[in-house]
């Protein structure tokens, strides 16, 4: 759970929201490695619909930052070819809900290229894509498809929950020689979200994890982060849910250990195992739908490894097994009401 | 059919009294048992197609997408503006590579029938498409082939023992037995890893070419798919990207008339040519006699020169015929007339080049027969050598642990755990 950053870097930190942190990571990696290229719909001149690539084309030129046609299979297919040439592409899929046309290229090609060619060709790409709900995005601007990718051997799946992690993990993903799916929780681009949709939105200002070094640093892939140490139960979560869980736990006054997984594949199973063996209880929280979601894998792993330490059944608070609704978003979203119920239940058992 | 109620309900009379709609489902001309007649087959005259400047605007050569570039005439003479005027040594090298490809196919097909491997795919009748192109490209141009361009590897002098090791999935297989036979990968030969998923290589080739252009390199990319695979979405995305960024890429469509049991009509051939797909994308489109290796060579050189001079991509339809079954798992007599391949109007690519070389006085029947014998022996000897490394299912494979390698650059904990589990299971079973 260490972070490769020196005190000097921390001293150089400044306030950033998650978009600024991502933009900074891209800027730094493009500066450091001439093979890093950024591509996607509206990422060039315009700087991206969420501004994550703002200013990059102006600084690095159109050979390295360019707009693409609206074809997700084309974007990823072309990125595979660029990787085979020796570039290090960072393609953007505008919304994770639109990654499906690229699934064949991701699953059949990027994920398997190293394996099937015995290392002759690799796909060192980082696919950035905004994901998750909580923004009234309806069915096609809210989905959390991480479970589709964690099921694919050969890709890594990374989800940051803070500006600090967003930058450090993105730098690590870009430098990594394996294809990485980098899902950015768009609900927390501009500020942490505690799940109380009826209160005014807050910015990242003042949040300790929004102090982001301006220079280069990495947050290693495959390492979870303990958001809050506790003894009563372990809560496994990632993305927006980290903040919803943190806020709910504080409000309830329960001594929960909150683990932000940060990387789903490869998973920091040691951190999970150590925490659950300590607390004896495990709650898993994600926005994605329940059946065959990543929570099912987490639950199975905890059950296999911590069976004799468990004092209550493992609980899951997730999105329901429905498409993401528009008007009923707050009934669907795993917010404070649903979390509170689950925590009370698991503590009673 | 008349409206039984005779009412004017709905849209009223304007929508009535028209013939009922019909769904058109294409049907090939000849099915098993049919006698084949290609007399209405429209073959443009040899040498009739002009050869435009390589930098021509695509719109100015639209007609070429509906024509057929041909160099070798009925007597085997090379005529017209597309005659590449190759020196004798190149012609004989082409002939030898095509004959070796055919001999290799014959041997490996037999190896599958003998149970030495699980699967094979021949390229019989299509040897000119890959070998003509391979010899027209520079060796460091990257090829993104489909599964029926083994001729590229052979034209680039890749060791056939290495190819056989892959087919046998033995301990000499550089791909460690992970891939289905014939899904080669040979980076050193500019031969990209073959995937089972059709046409995925198309946008990849475009991306490789874009990377080369973005880096100010001089190398170009080429890719191949069958006519059936042009129906895949990746074909469209690749053409769009190639056009938008004027990528230095050659996109080849091998129209061999058949996609397993489906004739080319199911990919759209009844309505237009495959080269004509280029027109809509604003890409230069050429249509070539794919059994005329000199035409394939000349068209590829034209497209390569065009790409190298930043004039943009080219789409080439190679009009040919898949003489054999789709694969060792296929029986073509179940869906097409057995007469088709022998009556194919564009003939056999090897026979045509052989006739040409004999006409030039640089070759003769005796030398050809001797070459065929020599190649058959060479392939047989190579197969014997490869079989020393093992054949499929006979135990001489890569170590079991190798299954877990190369999924990622470094093996993550969960794979290490699964590897350990597998070894423990086998140990517990006493194996």
């Amino acid at each position: 759970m260490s972070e490769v950053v020196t005190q000097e870097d921390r001293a150089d930190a400044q306030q950033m929201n998650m978009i600024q942190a991502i933009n900074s990571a891209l800027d730094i990696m493009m500066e450091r490695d001439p093979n890093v290229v950024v591509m996607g719909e509206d990422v060039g001149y315009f700087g991206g619909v969420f501004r994550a690539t703002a200013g990059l084309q102006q600084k690095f030129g159109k050979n390295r930052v360019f707009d693409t046609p609206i074809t997700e299979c084309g974007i990823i297919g072309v990125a595979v070819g660029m990787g085979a040439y020796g570039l290090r592409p960072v393609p953007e899929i505008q919304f994770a809900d639109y990654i499906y046309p690229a699934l064949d290229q991701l699953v059949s090609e990027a994920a398997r290229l190293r394996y099937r060619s015995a290392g002759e060709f690799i796909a060192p790409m980082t696919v950035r894509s905004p994901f998750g709900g909580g923004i009234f995005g309806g069915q096609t601007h809210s989905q959390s498809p991480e479970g589709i990718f964690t099921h694919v051997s050969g890709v890594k799946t990374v989800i940051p929950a803070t500006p600090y992690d967003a930058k450090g993990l993105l730098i690590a993903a870009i430098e990594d020689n394996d294809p990485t799916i980098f899902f950015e929780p768009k609900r927390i681009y501009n500020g942490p979200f505690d799940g109380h949709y009826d209160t005014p939105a807050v910015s990242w200002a003042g949040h300790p994890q929004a102090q982001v070094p301006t220079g280069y640093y990495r947050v290693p892939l495959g390492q979870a982060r303990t958001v809050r140490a506790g003894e009563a139960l372990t809560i496994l979560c990632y993305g927006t849910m980290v903040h919803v869980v943190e806020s709910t736990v504080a409000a309830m006054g329960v001594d929960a250990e909150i683990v932000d997984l940060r990387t789903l594949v490869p998973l920091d199973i040691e951190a999970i195992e150590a925490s659950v063996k300590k607390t004896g209880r495990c709650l898993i929280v994600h926005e994605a739908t329940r059946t065959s979601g990543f929570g099912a894998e987490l639950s199975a792993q905890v059950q296999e490894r911590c069976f004799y330490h468990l004092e209550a059944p493992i609980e899951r608070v997730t999105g329901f097994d429905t498409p993401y609704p528009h008007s009923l978003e707050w009934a669907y979203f795993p917010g404070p009401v649903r979390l509170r119920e689950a925590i009370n239940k698991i503590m009673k058992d | 059919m008349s409206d039984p109620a005779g009412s004017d309900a709905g849209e009223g009379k304007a929508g009535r009294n028209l013939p009922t709609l019909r769904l058109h489902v294409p049907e090939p001309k000849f099915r098993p048992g049919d006698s084949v007649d290609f007399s209405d087959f429209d073959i443009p005259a040899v040498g009739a197609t002009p050869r435009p400047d390589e930098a021509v605007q695509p719109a100015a050569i639209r007609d070429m997408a509906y024509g057929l570039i041909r160099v070798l005439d009925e007597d085997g003479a090379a005529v017209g503006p597309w005659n590449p005027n190759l020196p004798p040594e190149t012609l004989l090298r082409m002939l030898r590579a095509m004959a070796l490809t055919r001999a290799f196919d014959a041997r490996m097909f037999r190896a599958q029938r003998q149970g030495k491997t699980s699967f094979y795919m021949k390229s019989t009748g299509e040897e000119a498409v890959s070998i003509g192109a391979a010899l027209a490209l520079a060796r460091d141009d990257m090829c993104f082939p489909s599964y029926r361009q083994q001729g590229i590897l052979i034209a680039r002098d890749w060791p056939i023992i290495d190819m056989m090791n892959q087919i046998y999935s033995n301990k000499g297989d550089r791909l460690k037995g992970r891939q289905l036979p014939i899904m080669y990968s040979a980076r050193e030969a500019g031969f990209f890893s073959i995937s089972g998923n059709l046409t995925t290589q198309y946008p990849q080739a475009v991306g490789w070419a874009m990377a080369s252009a973005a880096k100010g390199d001089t190398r170009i990319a080429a890719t191949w798919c069958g006519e059936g695979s042009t129906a895949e979405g990746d074909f469209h995305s690749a053409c769009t990207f190639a056009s938008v960024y004027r990528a230095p890429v050659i996109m080849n469509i091998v129209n061999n008339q058949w996609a397993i049991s489906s004739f080319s009509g199911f990919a759209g051939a009844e309505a237009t040519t495959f080269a004509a797909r280029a027109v809509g994308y604003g890409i230069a489109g050429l249509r070539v006699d794919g059994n005329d290796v000199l035409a394939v060579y000349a068209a590829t050189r034209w497209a390569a020169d065009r790409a190298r001079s930043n004039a943009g991509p080219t789409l080439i339809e190679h009009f040919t015929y898949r003489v054999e079954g789709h694969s060792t798992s296929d029986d073509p007599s179940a869906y097409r007339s057995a007469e088709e391949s022998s009556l194919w109007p564009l003939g056999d690519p090897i026979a045509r080049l052989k006739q040409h070389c004999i006409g030039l006085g640089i070759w003769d029947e005796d030398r050809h027969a001797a070459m065929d014998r020599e190649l058959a022996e060479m392939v047989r000897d190579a197969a014997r050598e490869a079989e020393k490394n093992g054949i499929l299912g006979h135990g001489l494979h890569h170590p079991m642990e190798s299954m877990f390698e190369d999924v990622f650059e470094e093996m993550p904990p969960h794979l290490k755990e699964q590897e350990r589990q597998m070894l423990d299971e086998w140990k517990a079973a006493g194996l």
Side-chain angles (χ1 to χ4, degrees), chain A residues 47-328:
Chain A
V49 295
F50 290 106
R51 318 306 303 152
T53 56
L56 295 178
Q57 187 180 74
Q58 202 173 16
K59 183 169 175 185
F60 296 102
K62 291 197 280 190
N63 273 8
R64 297 193 55 202
V65 183
F66 55 90
D67 293 308
T68 64
I70 304 173
T71 161
E72 288 77 13
C73 67
I75 291 168
I76 301 302
V78 160
V80 171
M82 289 180 154
Y85 177 90
L87 300 190
R88 200 169 277 280
V90 188
E92 176 183 303
I93 300 295
Q94 203 161 79
F95 288 86
D97 314 63
Y98 302 130
I99 206 165
Y100 308 121
L103 274 187
D104 191 32
Q105 285 288 348
L106 286 170
V107 175
S108 309
E109 302 295 319
R112 297 183 184 165
L113 189 53
R114 177 190 296 278
Y115 191 73
R116 77 174 194 231
S117 70
E120 276 199 336
F121 297 95
I122 62 171
M125 67 163 82
T126 302
V127 183
R128 291 184 40 248
S129 191
F131 99 129
I135 58 153
F136 277 115
Q139 294 188 24
T140 56
H141 298 80
S142 307
Q143 294 170 37
S144 299
E146 68 273 16
I148 292 174
F149 296 97
T150 57
H151 190 57
V152 175
S153 49
V155 290
K156 294 177 175 170
T157 302
V158 178
I159 299 173
T162 68
Y164 180 86
D165 279 355
K167 180 172 174 180
L169 287 167
L170 182 54
I171 287 174
I174 292 171
E175 288 187 334
D176 196 280
N177 285 327
D178 297 316
T180 303
I181 311 291
F182 193 85
F183 281 134
E184 301 165 1
K186 56 187 170 302
R187 184 62 182 81
I188 55 171
Y189 267 157
N190 292 308
F193 176 59
D194 62 8
H196 291 279
Y197 56 92
D198 45 358
T199 58
V202 296
S203 79
W204 281 106
H207 194 288
Q209 293 294 317
Q211 282 297 309
V212 179
T214 54
Y216 169 91
Y217 69 97
R218 295 159 54 107
V219 174
L221 305 185
Q223 291 189 10
R225 172 177 74 104
T226 303
V227 179
R228 182 195 188 281
E231 304 290 332
L233 81 156
T234 297
I235 305 182
L236 305 177
C237 52
Y238 48 90
T240 302
M241 299 317 298
V242 170
H243 304 281
V244 181
V245 166
E246 202 179 359
S247 157
T248 307
V249 162
M252 292 175 73
V254 59
D255 186 25
E257 180 145 302
I258 304 172
V259 180
D260 172 6
L261 300 178
R262 300 200 288 201
T263 303
L264 306 192
V265 174
L267 184 66
D268 190 351
I269 192 65
E270 284 181 22
I272 295 170
E273 193 174 335
S275 179
V276 176
K277 282 184 174 167
K278 179 177 71 172
T279 64
R281 289 179 162 84
C282 181
L283 173 67
I284 295 158
V285 185
H286 60 57
E287 286 182 71
T289 50
R290 174 172 309 213
T291 302
S292 302
F294 191 65
E297 174 64 23
L298 289 172
S299 178
Q301 295 251 12
V302 169
Q303 189 274 141
E304 286 162 12
R305 290 162 201 272
C306 309
F307 183 77
Y308 295 106
H309 294 79
L310 286 174
E311 292 166 34
I314 302 160
E315 293 285 332
R316 282 182 286 164
V317 179
T318 70
F320 295 119
D321 283 340
T322 71
Y324 204 108
H326 187 244
S327 69
L328 299 176

Side-chain angles (χ1 to χ4, degrees), chain B residues 35-280:
Chain B
S35 53
V36 169
D37 179 5
F38 281 126
S39 59
D40 61 345
F41 198 90
D42 183 27
I43 311 176
V46 175
T49 310
R51 186 184 183 284
D53 184 83
E54 285 89 344
V56 67
Q57 288 296 315
I61 57 165
R62 281 179 190 175
D63 289 350
M64 297 193 68
Y66 303 94
L68 204 65
I69 296 169
R70 306 184 71 210
V71 171
L72 291 171
D73 69 13
E74 306 304 317
D75 303 318
V79 297
W82 287 90
N83 179 5
N85 295 303
L86 296 175
E89 58 269 26
T90 306
L91 294 171
L92 294 178
R93 193 175 158 210
M94 270 180 173
L95 187 65
R96 185 180 171 85
M98 288 201 286
L100 177 54
T101 302
R102 190 165 292 184
F104 181 85
D105 278 354
R107 185 88 204 178
M108 291 297 100
F109 187 93
R110 201 155 72 239
Q112 192 276 339
R113 289 296 188 250
Q114 292 167 340
K116 292 174 180 172
T117 186
S118 63
F119 184 73
Y120 192 70
M121 298 178 104
K122 289 172 130 181
S123 63
T124 313
E126 302 173 40
E127 294 90 346
V129 174
S130 48
I131 284 149
L135 292 178
L137 294 168
R139 195 182 161 90
D140 58 358
D141 293 331
M142 184 61 82
C143 296
F144 289 76
S146 79
Y147 46 69
R148 224 183 289 281
Q149 279 80 49
Q150 52 265 56
I152 295 171
L153 281 174
I154 286 175
R156 289 183 165 180
D157 298 321
W158 192 252
I160 58 171
I161 289 184
D162 186 78
M163 297 167 73
M164 291 169 169
N165 285 337
Q166 197 280 327
I167 289 164
Y168 290 140
S169 282
N170 61 25
K171 65 183 171 74
D173 175 11
R174 286 178 309 108
L175 307 185
K176 304 185 182 177
R178 293 176 187 153
Q179 274 276 51
L180 195 66
I182 66 122
M183 306 269 181
Y184 312 108
S185 180
R187 190 185 176 97
E188 277 178 58
F191 192 94
F192 185 73
S193 158
I194 294 175
S195 168
N197 297 65
L198 297 177
T199 331
T200 49
Q201 72 276 13
Y202 247 61
Q204 292 164 1
V206 174
W208 197 97
M210 287 171 64
S212 183
K215 295 297 266 187
D217 198 343
T218 58
R219 294 175 292 163
I220 65 171
T223 186
W224 286 258
C225 77
E227 91 286 349
S229 304
T230 62
E232 293 281 7
D234 275 333
F235 179 83
H236 166 67
S237 72
C239 289
T240 303
F241 265 84
S243 171
V244 166
Y245 302 97
R246 294 185 199 162
V249 63
I250 305 171
M251 298 185 287
N252 297 282
I253 301 167
V254 185
N255 176 7
N256 66 12
Q257 317 301 322
W258 291 93
I260 310 186
S261 75
S262 302
F263 87 113
S264 57
F266 283 99
E270 288 183 338
T272 186
T273 69
F274 293 97
R277 303 279 188 248
V279 175

